[in-house]
């Protein structure tokens, strides 16, 4: 039978061992704040990930996005059907940088958050956790868009197969309250090489069959039911966007007219006439002239 001093010594040692174990074990993920409208998927090392609430998500209105009317209309219709519980498609948006792809997704949150739409940003490096994310959303009454921005894969990346698996059965296998919206500068999400075209086969009837490598790359992008392409803006479109943002920032018509030459030079120096460049110029001009 242990004496009181011996028992106290054992308790102290046990507490030290537990403290050391706690230092090595990953912390338990915090509970999800389901009152939030937007989330980021977070992960520490090999520990289980969690949904981190974004308390002040970026608010973008659909009217702020100019000269992408067709893309805006198609994405809005698809998102509205999703929120209403109707069949809807996963969406892949590709094309020129700075033309409003990711902003358009955030604008959908602004438009439909009051109707139960929620947005979850997932980094490309965490796509292997898609199954875990979908599992946490199962049974929720909200409608979730899992948003992957600037998505592309190199050969053999783990996230490729995870995304392909979630997309494989449309919304039915990943829950009818989940969709994937992704943006990319690559139409097929993976690098394409000239050598891959050499594997194409020409059939006797004239039909061309791509090689297996090309087929594999195409197969992922084809699992997105809706494709939206974004193209570089013409000069007049760029100037329209500049005028819009200068007006938003309170510039006078005279100041807006005066900004034309400098706004074109601004775009030339950056090698792009995009909506992003137009907004950046408008901020700079307004700061100096309002």
């Amino acid at each position: 039978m242990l004496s009181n001093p011996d028992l106290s010594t054992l308790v102290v040692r046990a507490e030290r061992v537990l403290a050391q174990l706690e230092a090595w074990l990953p912390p338990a993920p915090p509970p999800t704040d389901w009152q939030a409208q937007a989330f980021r998927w977070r992960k520490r090392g090999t520990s289980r990930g969690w949904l981190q609430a974004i308390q002040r998500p970026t608010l973008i209105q659909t009217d702020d996005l100019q000269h992408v009317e067709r893309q805006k209309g198609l994405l809005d219709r698809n998102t509205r059907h999703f929120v209403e519980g109707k069949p809807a498609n996963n969406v892949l948006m590709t094309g020129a940088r700075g033309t409003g792809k990711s902003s358009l997704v955030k604008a959908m949150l602004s438009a439909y958050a009051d109707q139960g739409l929620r947005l979850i940003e997932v980094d490309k490096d965490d796509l292997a956790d898609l199954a875990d994310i979908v599992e946490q959303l199962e049974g929720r009454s909200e409608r979730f868009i899992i948003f992957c921005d600037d998505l592309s894969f190199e050969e053999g990346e783990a996230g490729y197969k995870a995304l392909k698996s979630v997309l494989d059965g449309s919304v039915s296998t990943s829950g009818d309250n989940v969709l994937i919206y992704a943006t990319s500068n690559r139409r097929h999400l993976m690098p394409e090489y000239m050598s891959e075209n050499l594997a194409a086969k020409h059939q006797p009837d004239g039909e061309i069959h791509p090689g297996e490598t090309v087929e594999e790359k195409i197969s992922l992008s084809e699992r997105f039911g809706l494709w939206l392409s974004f193209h570089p803006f013409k000069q007049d479109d760029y100037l329209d966007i500049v005028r819009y943002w200068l007006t938003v920032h309170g510039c006078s018509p005279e100041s807006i007219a005066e900004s034309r030459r400098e706004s074109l030079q601004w775009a030339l120096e950056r090698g792009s006439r995009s909506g992003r460049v137009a907004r950046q110029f408008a901020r700079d001009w307004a700061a100096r002239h309002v």
Side-chain angles (χ1 to χ4, degrees):
M1 183 174 180
L2 294 174
S3 62
N4 287 336
D6 292 335
L7 185 59
S8 299
T9 301
L10 285 176
V11 170
V12 170
R13 289 179 177 177
E15 289 177 345
R16 288 175 180 172
V17 171
L18 288 174
Q20 291 175 346
L21 287 174
E22 289 178 354
W24 282 98
L25 292 173
T32 302
D33 178 11
W34 293 111
Q35 299 302 313
Q37 296 180 353
F39 306 86
R40 289 190 186 94
W41 180 252
R42 293 298 195 193
K43 198 172 184 180
R44 295 194 187 105
T46 59
S47 63
R48 181 178 175 86
W50 72 94
L51 292 171
Q52 180 187 57
I54 301 174
Q55 299 301 334
R56 289 179 291 180
T58 303
L59 297 178
I60 299 175
Q61 306 303 319
T62 55
D63 290 342
D64 292 339
L65 301 168
Q66 306 287 309
H67 295 285
V68 287
E69 298 307 319
R70 179 179 179 275
Q71 297 92 327
K72 188 192 306 184
L74 290 172
L75 189 66
D76 182 81
R77 183 180 68 188
N78 189 73
T79 306
R80 184 176 69 255
H81 288 167
F82 176 54
V83 169
E84 293 172 351
K86 298 178 180 178
N89 281 305
N90 300 298
V91 182
L92 175 62
M93 290 167 278
T94 64
R97 66 186 189 276
T99 49
K101 299 186 293 294
S102 59
S103 294
L104 197 50
V105 176
K106 295 171 185 176
M108 294 300 102
L109 178 63
S110 296
Y112 293 103
D114 291 343
Q115 300 178 42
L117 186 66
R118 300 293 181 263
L119 187 66
I120 301 174
E121 292 186 1
V122 179
D123 189 84
K124 184 193 77 169
D125 295 335
D126 294 327
L127 285 177
D129 297 332
L130 275 178
D132 292 336
I133 298 173
V134 171
E135 182 181 345
Q136 292 194 27
L137 307 179
E138 187 175 354
R140 299 289 310 177
S141 60
E142 302 91 345
R143 317 293 284 179
F144 295 92
I145 290 175
I146 297 178
F147 177 42
C148 308
D149 194 19
D150 198 18
L151 185 62
S152 64
F153 295 102
E154 300 300 328
E155 299 290 347
E157 286 196 56
Y160 176 89
K161 290 186 177 180
L163 178 58
K164 190 175 178 180
S165 176
V166 171
L167 293 172
D168 227 352
S170 184
V171 296
S172 58
T173 56
S174 56
D176 62 3
N177 66 336
V178 178
L179 281 183
I180 306 289
Y181 282 11
T183 71
S184 178
N185 293 326
R186 292 171 174 170
R187 187 181 183 189
H188 291 142
L189 302 177
M190 297 183 72
E192 300 178 50
Y193 304 104
M194 182 64 69
S195 60
E196 294 169 352
N197 294 322
L198 300 178
K201 298 178 181 179
H202 297 261
Q203 302 300 317
D205 60 0
E207 185 177 359
I208 299 176
H209 288 274
E212 291 183 3
T213 303
V214 176
E215 286 277 18
E216 176 69 12
K217 292 180 177 182
I218 294 174
S219 69
L220 177 60
S221 57
E222 283 188 342
R223 281 168 167 76
F224 289 91
L226 180 60
W227 285 12
L228 299 177
S229 298
F230 292 72
H231 307 285
F233 293 125
K234 297 179 293 185
Q235 178 172 297
D236 288 345
D237 296 340
Y238 168 76
L239 291 172
D240 280 346
I241 298 171
V242 169
R243 284 192 288 268
Y244 173 84
W245 285 112
L246 288 175
T247 302
V248 169
H249 289 306
C251 292
S252 66
E254 295 77 17
S255 177
I256 293 174
E258 184 184 345
S259 72
R260 185 181 190 276
R261 180 177 178 180
E262 191 170 329
S263 69
L264 292 175
Q265 183 178 358
W266 182 281
L268 183 63
E269 291 172 347
R270 284 152 183 78
S272 173
R273 290 194 300 260
S274 68
R276 180 184 297 135
V277 170
R279 189 173 186 182
Q280 290 167 348
F281 169 78
R283 289 195 190 106
D284 181 78
W285 181 270
R288 291 184 285 119
H289 294 86
V290 174

